Amino acid sequence: MNRRVLLGAGGWLAAAALTTLAGIWAVSLIGADLSGQAVRSMTPDEVGRVLATASAAPAAAPPSATGPHAVTGGFSYAEGSVTVACEAGRALLLSWTPAPGYGVEEVERGPAATASVVFESDDRTAVISLTCSSGRPAATVRSVAEHDED
């Protein structure tokens, strides 16, 4: 073999190795934010634990949605959490958060005599109805198990 060919192949291999190392280093930087701290994704188990221990904080209503005399209340169930405001005998659903494994199927936000939200999982549907009883928030839950008909 010719010496030139060996030097050319060696140079090409060195350049390829250097480029590969630079690429690996650059990709490793993607996992660090501007402060230099590494960022990693949460595992599904970690997400489940965080969601199971998180409390649904009531969302603040827009100033035009409730008046100064509105009374708010929060309710939590196995299917999810809701926050409602009562003013002038009408219910306004401020926030709703389904529990892990549930989704939101339907929302009747109000303001109305009755506001509602439907939380649904693969095997259960829960309808949470919110009213204002004597000016204070009240909730009722109707939960139905879903059965597959084959």
Side-chain angles (χ1 to χ4, degrees):
M1 241 199 239
N2 182 331
R3 184 177 176 146
R4 272 177 131 175
V5 172
L6 286 175
L7 284 175
W12 184 88
L13 285 174
L18 185 59
T19 302
T20 301
L21 289 174
I24 291 171
W25 174 75
V27 168
S28 72
L29 290 180
I30 293 172
D33 65 12
L34 294 177
S35 67
Q37 297 176 342
V39 176
R40 70 172 184 83
S41 298
M42 294 174 73
T43 67
D45 289 338
E46 290 171 326
V47 171
R49 281 193 300 273
V50 169
L51 288 174
T53 59
S55 62
S64 62
T66 60
H69 303 292
V71 177
T72 61
F75 303 92
S76 293
Y77 302 98
E79 299 86 358
S81 301
V82 297
T83 303
V84 63
C86 288
E87 185 171 28
R90 296 165 49 112
L92 174 64
L93 191 55
L94 299 176
S95 68
W96 52 94
T97 306
Y102 284 83
V104 176
E105 180 64 24
E106 185 178 335
V107 176
E108 294 294 331
R109 187 164 187 212
T114 302
S116 64
V117 62
V118 178
F119 294 131
E120 186 173 75
S121 71
D122 290 337
D123 61 349
R124 182 164 296 283
T125 299
V127 179
I128 301 176
S129 299
L130 304 145
T131 59
C132 295
S133 176
S134 300
R136 306 211 43 89
T140 58
V141 178
R142 183 173 49 89
S143 188
V144 180
E146 301 285 328
H147 297 288
D148 292 338
E149 295 180 17
D150 293 325

